[in-house]
Amino acid sequence: MTNPFIPDTFDPPLYFDSADFYFVVLEEQVAKFDFDAVMSSQQRLQGIFGPGSQWPKSDMTLDENIESLQVHKKEFESRLAFAYSVFNESKDKCLGSVYIDPSQSPSYDCEVYLWIRDDSIDLDKVLYETVLIWLQEQWPFSRIAFPGRSISWACWASEIKSVG
């Protein structure tokens, strides 16, 4: 039996409030806000999950987005992965998302992907630093990979290939 992604005793937060951001579970209730953020930055976001990623497609619909958010919510409830919508501090604009997944590599506890919309790109580094500190201080992770950010895609691919 493999170790669980997070301990049974850990309760993943339903939200997180920082000086610059407000995170809430990525679910259907934020679909319109999320869809606006995704589609406003669609071209730049392709590849956010790796060089071969086609998400988000230019013709993605709101209904397809809702279906995706429903999957994220089920994963959250099942403790398989944790996705958050990132809002501004006033909670009236979706700025992006954060995805916390089990690591595909035994060298890391989790792999994290995040993105921010084009018109707020100046907050990208702040979001990355906020997420890193949050995970280190409030989550049960000590080895955190940010593929494409803290580890290059080439190194990440080698890391994953060595597992398979």
Side-chain angles (χ1 to χ4, degrees), residues 42-56 113 147 153:
Q42 182 267 334
Q43 287 185 339
R44 185 180 51 80
L45 293 179
Q46 285 196 334
I48 202 81
F49 296 108
S53 171
Q54 295 299 308
W55 181 90
Y113 304 89
W153 286 117

Side-chain angles (χ1 to χ4, degrees), residues 20-27 29-41 44-45 55 65 69 84-99 115-121 123 127:
D20 299 292
F21 308 106
Y22 179 76
F23 300 176
V24 64
V25 174
L26 193 56
E27 60 185 347
Q29 284 74 14
V30 300
K32 288 182 182 178
F33 293 104
D34 179 73
F35 186 71
D36 177 64
V38 170
M39 297 313 286
S40 74
S41 308
R44 185 180 51 80
L45 293 179
W55 181 90
N65 192 57
L69 300 186
Y84 293 88
S85 185
V86 178
F87 280 82
N88 59 355
E89 187 57 28
S90 58
K91 304 172 189 163
D92 60 0
K93 182 179 181 181
C94 178
L95 301 178
S97 294
V98 175
Y99 309 88
W115 61 268
I116 200 151
R117 62 188 296 147
D118 285 355
D119 65 9
S120 302
I121 197 69
L123 293 171
L127 177 60

Side-chain angles (χ1 to χ4, degrees), residues 50-52 108 146-162:
Y108 297 93
F146 288 83
R149 207 177 268 266
S150 68
I151 182 171
S152 73
W153 286 117
C155 289
W156 185 247
S158 294
E159 184 80 28
I160 302 306
K161 191 174 184 178
S162 69

Side-chain angles (χ1 to χ4, degrees), residues 101-111 113 147 156 159-160 163-164:
D101 297 329
S103 179
Q104 298 174 68
S105 164
S107 300
Y108 297 93
D109 299 324
C110 64
E111 56 190 73
Y113 304 89
W156 185 247
E159 184 80 28
I160 302 306
V163 174

